[in-house]
Amino acid sequence: MIRPKLEIADIFRTYGPAWRRANAGHVSLTQLKVMSAIEACRTEALGGHVAACTKCGHNHIAYNSCKNRHCPKCQGPAARDWMAARAADLLPVEYFHVVFTLPAEIAQIAYWNKKAVYDLLFQASAETLSTIAADPKRLGARIGMTSVLHTWGSALTHHPHVHIIVPGGGLSPDGTRWIGCRPGFFLSVWVLSRLFRRLFLEGLMALHRSGDLAFFGDLAGLAHADAFAAWLAPRRVVPIHHFHAGRHPADVAAGRGNRRPASRLVQSKLQRDPEPLGGGACQTRANSGSQSRRQAGACAATILQFEWILQCHWDHARAGCNADGSMASGRSAAIGVCA
């Protein structure tokens, strides 16, 4: 395997000590542990083993990996295993790709309240799909789904959204037969958007009343209930995007017929090894311009900016979450991968 010119581990080893000193008191223990694991991955610090040829006597030393879920060297096999397991669960029916997105204003609140707001995003999106699909006027079925959290957009900006892969149908209320949707059409995006907006904003108000939201900087004034209610009143959640994912499990797993392969949904864009630009800067492959145009290009960042974006990735990292609606076990796994 050809080693990249510049790895994230190289940046951390070179600039990590100075960055940690400059941000002392602002970096969590979890973030420090991840940084340390990536720095030590496949080095003598973690030990290793020697492979020797009995004929020619050639020795090869292979150092152990850190196996941290945020490490770009270790996440590839885990992502492939996860994809294989999900592909085994797929049914021979149409699948759809639905995306629930938060607007920039509410994303600011999510930035400082990651666990609370991301939990709410999972719950509101799953409840929206399950409720509308169960409506006899729409589909009248109990559906299942797989949800994946992305916290950063293609342009390396904070852009929380959930990707959901859902079959085009579900079980009848009595569980005795399959009810399929119309070919090429799952549920009305307009209807989904209205319910999602209500559920999410009601949940956000409930989090505020329970004291589970913290506000800083320009948003500090929103700590007062009246100010928060007034600020929230005109907000609109970004419309839901709805894509056709494929007509067969193999299409969904391979990404054929989908705007984004399923494997891409569980692999972090920011955790790929960057490319050196010189002068203390690097670039990582991304899409430049607006999120909607998705123009291909590269996004440049200074070393300090790149490290800080990665650290925000790891804060309150989610191992997983459950949402109602799966057919196999009665619950659907929502895998939290920040990307």
Side-chain angles (χ1 to χ4, degrees):
M1 180 180 296
I2 299 176
R3 186 179 184 273
K5 294 180 180 179
L6 179 67
E7 296 181 336
I8 292 177
D10 297 325
I11 295 177
F12 285 176
R13 295 185 192 112
T14 303
Y15 300 95
W19 188 89
R20 287 188 287 268
R21 288 193 297 270
N23 292 277
H26 300 283
V27 184
S28 69
L29 180 60
T30 298
Q31 292 169 327
L32 292 174
K33 287 181 177 180
V34 173
M35 202 171 186
S36 176
I38 292 177
E39 290 178 5
C41 188
R42 300 188 187 182
T43 67
E44 61 275 10
L46 297 182
H49 54 276
V50 179
C53 177
T54 57
K55 293 184 178 180
C56 69
H58 175 74
N59 293 333
H60 173 72
I61 300 177
Y63 294 115
N64 296 329
S65 59
C66 66
K67 302 186 184 302
N68 191 284
R69 67 182 296 265
H70 298 286
C71 178
K73 293 180 180 178
C74 300
Q75 69 171 344
R80 289 191 293 271
D81 292 344
W82 187 88
M83 277 301 303
R86 300 290 73 74
D89 294 335
L90 295 176
L91 304 173
V93 299
E94 282 189 297
Y95 275 80
F96 293 86
H97 174 196
V98 187
V99 183
F100 290 83
T101 309
L102 298 183
E105 298 87 353
I106 294 180
Q108 286 183 282
I109 298 177
Y111 190 83
W112 298 110
N113 302 274
K114 295 179 176 62
K115 186 178 187 304
V117 177
Y118 294 163
D119 279 343
L120 176 59
L121 179 56
F122 270 116
Q123 294 164 5
S125 59
E127 184 176 349
T128 296
L129 286 171
S130 298
T131 300
I132 300 301
D135 185 349
K137 296 180 181 178
R138 307 294 174 183
L139 184 61
R142 292 191 295 116
I143 63 171
M145 66 196 73
T146 298
S147 302
V148 179
L149 172 68
H150 280 189
T151 53
W152 291 81
S154 299
L156 301 190
T157 56
H158 187 235
H159 181 62
H161 55 288
V162 167
H163 293 266
I164 299 180
I165 299 295
V166 56
L171 292 179
S172 60
D174 59 6
T176 60
R177 61 190 177 91
W178 175 264
I179 301 176
C181 66
R182 289 184 293 173
F185 179 84
F186 181 50
L187 296 170
S188 168
V189 171
W190 183 80
V191 174
L192 292 172
S193 298
R194 285 174 59 89
L195 179 58
F196 176 63
R197 175 183 180 272
R198 179 174 66 80
L199 292 176
F200 188 87
L201 295 185
E202 287 178 354
L204 206 59
M205 285 295 298
L207 289 174
H208 191 282
R209 287 192 296 269
S210 62
D212 291 326
L213 297 179
F215 300 92
F216 305 92
D218 296 339
L219 300 181
L222 298 183
H224 301 287
D226 293 341
F228 184 72
W231 178 86
L232 203 59
R235 305 297 166 188
R236 295 291 186 272
V237 173
V238 173
I240 298 164
H241 304 287
H242 170 284
F243 310 127
H244 184 248
R247 295 180 178 276
H248 190 273
D251 295 333
V252 181
R256 291 188 291 270
N258 191 3
R259 294 194 180 187
R260 177 177 295 184
S263 59
R264 286 278 306 280
L265 299 179
V266 296
Q267 187 170 9
S268 167
K269 291 184 291 295
L270 288 181
Q271 289 169 224
R272 297 173 190 159
D273 290 313
E275 304 169 13
L277 291 180
C282 63
Q283 72 176 8
T284 186
R285 297 304 303 175
N287 290 336
S288 59
S290 68
Q291 296 287 347
S292 60
R293 290 198 304 270
R294 304 229 178 247
Q295 298 170 342
C299 182
T302 66
I303 294 296
L304 294 181
Q305 289 171 335
F306 188 76
E307 288 195 11
W308 183 250
I309 290 174
L310 285 172
Q311 295 288 345
C312 291
H313 248 36
W314 305 330
D315 196 21
H316 301 298
R318 298 173 58 92
C321 168
N322 288 322
D324 292 335
S326 173
M327 284 173 281
S329 61
R331 300 185 71 82
S332 127
I335 308 300
V337 179
C338 302

